[in-house]
Amino acid sequence: MTMTELHALLPIIVIAGISVVLMVMTAFFRHQRLASLITYGGFIAAAVLVAGQTGSGPQQATPLLIMDEYSRFFSLVILVTSLAATMLAYDYLRRSDVFKEEYYILLSLAVLGAVVLVSSNHFAAFFIGIELMSVSLFAMVGYMVQGRTRRAVTLEASVKYMILSGVSSSFLLFGIALVYADFGVLSFSGLHSLLGLHSTSSYSQIGAAMIVVGLAFKLSWVPFHMWTPDVYEGAPVPVTAFLATVSKVSVFAIIVRFFIESGAFRLEALVQALVWIAVLSMLVGNGLALLQQNIKRLLAYSSIAHLGYLMVAFIAIAGSNLANTNLAVEATAFYLVAYIVMSLIAFGIITTLSSPERAEEAETLAHFRGLFWQKPGLATAMGLALLSLAGIPLTIGFVGKFYVFAAGVAGQLWLLVGVLIVGSALGLYYYLRLIMEMCKAPDTEPAISREETPLENRVVLSALGLVLLVIGIFPNGLITTVHAAVAVLR
Amino acid sequence: MLDWLWLVPGLPFLGFLILFAGQGKMPKRWTTLVGVGSVGLAALVTLLIAVEFYGTPEAALTYRQTLWTWMEAGSLKPGFSLYLDGLALSMLFVITGVGFLIHLYASGYMYEDEDFPRFFTYTNLFVAAMVMLVLADNLVLLFLGWEGVGLCSYLLIGFWYRDPENGRCARKAFIVTRIGDTAFAIGLFLLFRELGTLDIQDAMSAATATWPRDSGTATLIAVLLLGGAVGKSAQLPLQTWLPDAMAGPTPVSALIHAATMVTAGVYLIARTHVLFQLSTDAMQLVALVGVLTLLMSGFTALTQTDLKRILAYSTISQIGYMFLALGVGAWSSAIFHLMTHAFFKALLFLTAGSIILSVHHQQDIFKMGGLRKALPVPFATFLVGCLGLTALPPTSGFFSKEQILNAVWSSPTGGQLIWAGAVLGAFITAIYTFRMFFIVFFGEQQTEAHEHKGFKFHVPLIVLAVLAAVGGFFHLPLTSALPHAGHDHVPLGVEVTAIALPMVGVLLAYLLFYRQIPALRQLFETGPLKSLAAFFYSGWAMDWLYDRLLVKPFVALARWNSKDLVDQLPAVVSRGAALFHRLLSLSQNGQLRYYVATMALASLVVMAVAVYTG
């Protein structure tokens, strides 16, 4: 390994360092504040390192990882998101009756996995990243199993996630093996001249399909989505926030890279299957969310729908017209950022309102009734996030959806665009219903605590709200960044 | 000086803004100053412009002033652009001059009203909108002014909104005129589609270049514009709103429902006369609308007992004369009659306002009587107004009406039958006018009267009386703006008949209502004439007819639809969505084995698709 490679890997090494330091520290000295500060510091340091390398051109570090604009962009997104998610989790953890410090170890390992995942251009790194992230998440989903109040639900969620994730990983691994059997190649770019062109058997086709199935589970595409509401509901809400954002976005980022670099878009039958998966995701996600009373489940279903919207842009990449393809990749990346911002706000609000002492988190409609009158700041942020999720103009969600829509239209994917419209119409109903609930007169006995919102949460939520509005009104900055980031693909 | 043209609509609008910002909290003195002063200054500017205008040679009498572009969409670029020619200037005289006198009068008449500032807020906006309508160089801006005056008319009819009946009258006026406005708007769209421009002068020259005489399109557009005109000017078949509009304060009736707004339809047709000239049918229709309206409302005025309603029907009838003049191509006569009518009808309304105020808001003429002595000034001015309305020489009304009647006789779209109707109308006008005059001022005094004296009451009345008397000698600068009808030579007998019949009418009224000859009275109070009178009294049962024909079915339809039949379709969607949700929810049963099985099955499908269709 050369020094340039080492330099390129430095952010990953820093993140790995966090978990090592924390592990050592926790063995001798438990202190949540210190652990959290170390984590924040590590994420910030890694983010600064990544940002410092921006513009320095692609750098292959070992055959497994590539550091180019694309992976740097998503590493940065993941690190910032993780920082925000960790800060939002601090107060929730502080009030819970479990060991706190291990959470930071697991979290930094999951982030490590995510960063490795988005930086990989080789099946080995790809699999290592995805598993590192998933295994950490099993533990995080079941984190409250040590506590008294939510032991059963959290355990159930963890076990479900673990088993189903295991099933999907085995599909993924088997798929990789079949592709390898056909071509003897494991790097994405190595497949580019082979996949869909020089196959002697159906191995590679089945293999690619199995890889898609494996990833479809992680991205909760319908019909591989069934775990999503149960796990979102059972996991402690800060973990749900992390699960809904970082794990989804990193997997989506890599599937885009994989499909473009390996030439998998040439597999027309597979793309056709993806079209139907997208249609189902948009319809089923929105349909399930429609009358849902539990906010965490509602957001789970809505995230299924949003991943479906993302697929419209993703499938549009398959087109032959280069300009349209570029537009579609940009749309995907832009929408991923938008999705992170609005989801993180929504889950952040639930985190802020929830108290781990109770068996039930702030996840029912009753918790949100009259929130505008009790906590106007939080309710405004929640309202913004919901409007953005619904795709109302002046929010980042609108720009994102418009982008996706434009990509779909440019690619002439009329079926998908039609379903996108129907899905958005359904979505309006349940997002606005929640806003209406927040505007109602409060119950005589408020279901939420009247405590002050912790400073960390306030800072993070206001920053996210600001981003949501600013990019919603002046999207050009992010568009330029995204444009530069995705230019390296192909 | 012409550069100041924008001030003519600008000053009243500024007045409106100040009064609006004042929120009715300004002292009354200031309110008067702003409300009356703004219109007075506008009148002064008009006068100064007119002086310069008269100084230039007639052929070049147009002036354009573009303030800014309003909007831009393709070839549609309406601007806030003013266009002044002889026609617009004549209208400006009436609007600002008569408008100023009425404002002055209103500052006395409305002084005790608690909503005094609101009154001037509305009237100033009205004057601004009306001036805009007249000065607009494109039809879009004209439409803005057109709707603006309609809004102000609505607001002012319902000025005393605490009485729900007044609100009903205001709504009626608004809705009925809206029917005409819809036709007008469709006409505008059609004009734009056909000619690609809504600039009035461009469109007019394009129209003559594009369409041959009597082309169907030109006729259709002209008829649609006529629809707007009959709505605004209360002509058949949309005349029913004007009598009810008398629910507003009397100065409003004088300003909006006699002198200015209701003549906007006449102005519109005169402004687009090129279009009407292209179509004989449309001209014929205008003439017919005019003559029928003037006869119908004349007969109705004959039977009314409410002083203001008599004047309202008389207004409809006189505008009928203007339409008739337009229909026979006597464009400048129509505008001339518009002006003289503005003088004498504003005078009559304001005098009526003074009378009504003096007798404690009594409007029934049969409960007044013998007011000659108690109200000397109103008596004198009312007499002048009545003479003008009856068109007895040498009052202003005589000159304008004579021109019209002569033109009707010799025009191809007029003819002897229509002329006969118009002369009959003049005869009836004389009867109902002097019926009103004799009953109000002579006979037994039925009620005590206290005259409201003072500068604000008397000056406008006297000035208007002078105008109504000598206004016929004015020379309006219309020769360059409107085609000249030429001096129509009619047989002497025809002319004599037209002049003599109103005098006979006055005589008849004298016998009936001053001398009260029993035999004649008997004739009208019994038998078929009585029921005929009842029919006339109801306005030829037009309200009844529209109620049965339009209002009742519409209300029934609305009631029938109150269960929102159209909403049933969206309800299907929402119920379908809910069902969809419930079906899908069944799949989320929380059973791990079921989830795994689904995943496995779905994976098989994906792989099968990938292999067998790939």
Side-chain angles (χ1 to χ4, degrees), chain A residues 160 206 213 230 269 287-288 301, chain B residues 581 588 590 595 602-603 607 611 613:
Chain A
K160 272 183 184 164
I206 298 182
V213 166
D230 292 1
L288 278 168
Y301 292 133
Chain B
H581 167 79
Q588 292 291 337
Y595 290 0
S603 311
M607 280 185 284
V611 174
T613 64

Side-chain angles (χ1 to χ4, degrees), chain B residues 276-444:
Chain B
F276 282 84
Q277 275 175 326
L278 283 176
S279 165
T280 317
D281 291 345
M283 294 277 281
Q284 188 68 62
L285 189 62
V286 175
L288 277 178
V289 164
V291 73
L292 287 178
T293 310
L294 78 89
L295 280 174
M296 273 181 70
S297 48
F299 278 114
T300 308
L302 210 48
T303 55
Q304 295 295 317
T305 56
D306 182 311
L307 183 55
K308 285 183 72 180
R309 283 181 84 89
I310 297 175
L311 290 175
Y313 279 109
S314 150
T315 302
I316 299 177
S317 167
Q318 293 303 308
I319 298 171
Y321 277 105
M322 297 174 210
F323 270 68
L324 180 57
L326 296 170
V328 300
W331 311 105
S332 46
S333 310
I335 299 300
F336 189 36
H337 193 57
L338 189 158
M339 182 190 73
T340 57
H341 173 255
F343 294 153
F344 63 69
K345 191 51 67 62
L347 172 64
L348 284 172
F349 262 117
L350 294 188
T351 311
S354 285
I355 297 168
I356 290 165
L357 209 58
S358 306
V359 296
H360 312 292
H361 295 282
Q362 178 56 260
Q363 298 198 11
D364 189 337
I365 52 172
F366 288 103
K367 295 191 176 140
M368 296 172 180
L371 295 177
R372 185 177 71 247
K373 297 241 172 57
L375 308 172
V377 176
F379 171 65
T381 55
F382 205 74
L383 178 61
V384 176
C386 286
L387 290 173
L389 178 56
T390 317
L392 293 185
T395 58
S396 59
F398 167 72
F399 292 98
S400 52
K401 203 175 269 181
E402 192 218 5
Q403 277 187 14
I404 294 173
L405 291 175
N406 287 352
V408 171
W409 178 269
S410 48
S411 163
T413 46
Q416 299 176 1
L417 192 65
I418 291 182
W419 178 84
V423 172
L424 178 62
F427 174 63
I428 295 163
T429 307
I431 302 178
Y432 73 68
T433 308
F434 278 89
R435 166 179 176 265
M436 167 173 77
F437 177 72
F438 287 127
I439 290 172
V440 171
F441 287 107
F442 294 91
E444 292 273 309

Side-chain angles (χ1 to χ4, degrees), chain B residues 256-277:
Chain B
I256 300 183
H257 304 120
T260 55
M261 185 193 82
V262 285
T263 58
V266 179
Y267 171 77
L268 176 68
I269 295 178
R271 183 47 94 200
T272 56
H273 63 89
V274 177
L275 196 61
F276 282 84
Q277 275 175 326

